[in-house]
């Protein structure tokens, strides 16, 4: 699996910009760089040089270039970077010249894949690179940085050490039965296996990982004309939804994304919940109910200047066990509803903005802890749960008095699962699949 050829790709986003970086990695990186770029002084590793890039007698650009000699580079190979003026032409011509000189186009994620194959990063840290690139908010970025700094690796290594300790205890019972009986070893192994399984399970928080990576789903619901669309516009600071006095204006789901406390919140303004005769409106109401069922938090919007209707009361009953915030809107008018009659309501005015900042904080609180668990990627959590199941199977074997070999097999299965998180035990097909999701040039 060790790469021998030299690859090149654009490492910055395509299109117009201040700078475009072409990256080269492999045994011919310095040779190719020298063929295109002549520095004012002999090449020194890790120093940026000013000059011009030219190919076949044609000047391509005024630029900067840097050489990173192995192993002190991103890939642990010789790496060259050419920093060109941003735009399509110069980068395209530079890449064409590199390909003509013997480099080949890098595949998606191939630079990071080489960093993994050359032992610079383990698989979990390599995956963190793409997680950081795709992070949409501060919480997702922080989770990716923790993983990049070895948070996942450290957690997995500690779990592996505990597993190896359990395996050594089982091995001692097998090799020295006159000194330690299997019954004595089984009691220690069962307790240790169950404790480690619980630790692995508690490290998995699918909901928190999803919210950190994809955002919090918040649905505005209520009967027609309580101010849901106005509230969506106030929260998003834009005219995301049409606002009129005509009931049933919103018939489909209108969405707006807002960043609150480093967390992306996906707001959905739904059709007013009522039994209308209009077929289109009934479809909108049906979609609204599905959105409420799948939301991380439902904002139950009431018109504080009007008495509760049967529709209001039905919605309050239907959502009393769901994650929700009762929002008393239109507090800028004469209020008829009393806040003390509801459980911790948010009293706001979508027109004046009163109470909106406090409402935002309460919404963000439903994402508290998102992305802060030890494992935040689905692949890692799936493998940790598989390891936990194998550990529990080993514990059950000890409890039931099964042969020691059976417990050892389950422990080895758990160890293999943890090894696949960091890439210690992984096949080439999985590696290719993981890195295929990366962008080209990373």
């Amino acid at each position: 699996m060790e790469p021998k050829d030299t690859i090149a790709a654009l490492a910055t986003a395509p299109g117009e910009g201040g700078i475009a970086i072409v990256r080269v990695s492999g045994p011919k990186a310095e040779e190719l760089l020298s063929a295109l770029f002549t520095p004012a002084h002999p090449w020194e590793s890790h120093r940026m040089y000013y000059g011009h890039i030219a190919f076949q007698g044609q000047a391509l650009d005024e630029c900067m270039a840097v050489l990173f000699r192995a192993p002190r580079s991103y890939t642990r190979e010789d790496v060259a970077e050419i920093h060109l003026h941003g735009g399509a032409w110069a980068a395209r011509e530079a890449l064409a010249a590199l390909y003509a000189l013997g480099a080949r186009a890098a595949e998606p994620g191939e630079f990071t894949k080489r960093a993994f194959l050359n032992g610079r990063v383990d698989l979990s840290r390599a995956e963190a690179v793409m997680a950081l690139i795709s992070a949409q908010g501060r919480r997702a970025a922080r989770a990716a940085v923790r993983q990049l700094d070895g948070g996942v690796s450290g957690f997995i290594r500690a779990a592996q050490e505990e597993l190896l300790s359990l395996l050594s205890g089982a091995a001692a019972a097998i090799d020295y039965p006159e000194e330690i009986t299997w019954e004595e070893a089984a009691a220690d192994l069962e307790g240790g296996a169950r404790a480690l399984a619980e630790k692995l399970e508690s490290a998995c928080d699918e909901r928190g990982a999803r919210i950190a990576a994809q955002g919090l789903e918040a649905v505005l619901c209520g009967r027609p004309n309580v101010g849901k669309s106005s509230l969506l516009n106030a929260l998003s600071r834009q005219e995301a939804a049409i606002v009129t006095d005509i009931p049933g204006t919103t018939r489909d789901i209108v969405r707006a994304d807002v960043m609150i406390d480093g967390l992306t919140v996906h707001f959905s303004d739904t059709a007013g919940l009522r039994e209308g005769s209009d077929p289109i409106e009934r479809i909108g109401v049906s979609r609204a109910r599905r959105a409420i069922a799948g939301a991380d938090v439902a904002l139950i919007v009431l018109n504080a200047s009007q008495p509760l209707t049967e529709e209001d009361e039905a919605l309050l009953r239907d959502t009393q066990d769901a994650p929700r915030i009762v929002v008393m809107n239109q507090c800028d008018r004469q209020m008829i509803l009393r806040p003390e009659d509801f459980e911790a309501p948010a009293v706001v005015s979508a027109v004046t903005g009163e109470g909106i900042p406090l409402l935002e904080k309460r919404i963000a609180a439903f994402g508290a802890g998102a992305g802060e668990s030890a494992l935040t990627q689905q692949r890692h959590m799936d493998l940790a749960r598989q390891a936990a199941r194998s550990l529990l199977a080993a514990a059950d074997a000890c409890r039931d008095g099964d042969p020691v070999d059976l417990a050892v097999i389950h422990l080895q299965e758990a160890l293999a699962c943890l090894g696949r998180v960091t890439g210690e035990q992984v096949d080439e097909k999985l590696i290719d699949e993981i890195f295929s999701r990366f962008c080209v040039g990373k």
Side-chain angles (χ1 to χ4, degrees):
M1 296 175 68
E2 183 180 353
K4 299 295 184 183
D5 52 356
T6 299
I7 58 174
L10 182 66
T12 48
E16 294 184 6
I19 193 169
I21 299 176
V22 170
R23 177 179 287 163
V24 186
S25 181
K28 295 178 64 177
E30 183 172 353
E31 175 188 335
L32 297 181
L33 179 62
S34 297
L36 297 177
F37 183 93
T38 304
H41 305 282
W43 284 112
E44 290 185 35
S45 183
H46 293 75
R47 293 194 66 176
M48 184 77 79
Y49 290 87
Y50 163 80
H52 291 77
I53 183 172
F55 181 59
Q56 296 179 340
Q58 179 182 359
L60 301 181
D61 198 4
E62 177 187 38
C63 61
M64 306 287 287
V66 60
L67 174 68
F68 304 95
R69 288 197 177 99
R72 297 171 56 222
S73 71
Y74 182 69
T75 62
R76 279 194 175 166
E77 301 173 333
D78 284 351
V79 171
E81 288 185 356
I82 305 172
H83 295 231
L84 305 151
H85 287 97
W89 186 85
R92 183 176 62 244
E93 291 299 307
L95 284 170
L98 287 165
Y99 299 152
L101 291 169
R104 68 165 174 82
E107 298 173 356
E110 190 169 2
F111 291 97
T112 306
K113 180 179 179 180
R114 291 187 175 207
F116 164 68
L117 294 176
N118 292 327
R120 184 181 180 275
V121 295
D122 64 28
L123 193 56
S124 68
R125 294 178 70 185
E127 290 171 292
V129 173
M130 198 60 212
L132 185 57
I133 292 172
S134 59
Q136 299 297 310
R138 186 174 70 246
R139 299 196 191 190
R142 279 165 47 188
V145 168
R146 284 198 304 273
Q147 184 175 332
L148 188 61
D149 286 343
V152 171
S153 303
F155 175 80
I156 293 298
R157 277 196 298 270
Q160 288 173 318
E161 288 174 4
E162 289 189 47
L163 251 172
L164 289 171
S165 178
L166 295 175
L167 279 166
S168 66
I174 294 173
D175 296 338
Y176 306 104
E178 67 281 357
E179 296 182 15
I180 178 171
T181 66
W182 171 233
E183 289 74 14
E184 293 172 330
D188 292 337
L189 197 156
E190 180 184 358
R194 293 194 190 282
L196 183 54
E198 183 178 353
K199 185 183 298 185
L200 291 172
E201 286 283 357
S202 64
C204 303
D205 178 12
E206 275 92 349
R207 178 183 178 275
R210 174 186 59 78
I211 290 173
Q214 302 175 17
L216 184 82
E217 292 289 340
V219 174
L220 287 76
C221 51
R223 63 179 171 85
N225 276 39
V226 292
K228 299 187 299 299
S229 297
S230 297
L231 183 58
L232 177 69
N233 292 343
L235 289 164
S236 63
R237 274 74 169 175
Q238 61 177 314
E239 296 298 316
I242 298 172
V243 178
T244 73
D245 293 330
I246 302 172
T249 300
T250 301
R251 298 192 173 202
D252 205 346
I253 295 175
V254 180
R255 291 175 65 85
D257 297 341
V258 181
M259 188 68 67
I260 302 176
D261 191 25
L263 179 69
T264 301
V265 180
H266 305 292
F267 286 103
S268 299
D269 177 23
T270 60
L273 296 177
R274 65 171 179 174
E275 299 302 323
S277 57
D278 186 334
I280 298 177
E281 188 175 355
R282 286 201 298 271
I283 293 173
V285 170
S286 176
R287 291 183 178 181
R289 295 191 188 281
R290 289 199 299 271
I292 294 169
D296 295 304
V297 55
L299 307 184
I300 312 301
V301 185
L302 307 174
N303 186 339
S305 67
Q306 297 177 358
L308 289 181
T309 67
E310 291 184 2
E311 292 162 328
D312 291 328
E313 292 174 345
L315 179 59
L316 289 168
R317 284 195 306 272
D318 292 345
T319 60
Q320 61 184 350
D321 296 325
R324 73 178 188 182
I325 301 173
V326 175
V327 181
M328 298 176 62
N329 190 25
Q330 305 189 35
C331 71
D332 53 305
R333 300 183 179 183
Q334 180 66 39
M335 291 180 58
I336 293 177
L337 301 182
R338 300 187 309 167
E340 56 267 26
D341 291 338
F342 303 91
E343 182 181 353
V347 181
V348 306
S349 169
V351 174
T352 67
E354 181 181 349
I356 295 297
L358 182 59
L359 174 59
E360 289 175 335
K361 289 184 180 297
R362 292 189 56 187
I363 293 168
F366 281 85
E372 296 180 4
S373 57
L375 304 178
T376 57
Q377 292 208 16
Q378 192 61 52
R379 189 182 77 87
H380 303 165
M381 290 187 284
D382 289 344
L383 287 168
R385 288 220 159 97
Q386 289 179 33
R389 288 194 292 270
S390 294
L391 282 163
L392 292 176
D396 290 344
C398 295
R399 179 199 60 199
D400 298 340
D402 292 333
V404 61
D405 291 348
L406 182 59
V408 168
I409 289 172
H410 291 310
L411 292 178
Q412 290 172 336
E413 289 172 349
L415 193 61
C417 288
L418 296 182
R420 286 197 287 273
V421 174
T422 56
E424 296 168 21
Q425 299 185 36
V426 67
D427 57 40
E428 188 171 355
K429 183 179 179 181
L430 176 61
I431 293 173
D432 290 341
E433 193 276 327
I434 289 173
F435 286 103
S436 69
R437 300 195 293 265
F438 280 49
C439 53
V440 174
K442 192 59 185 174

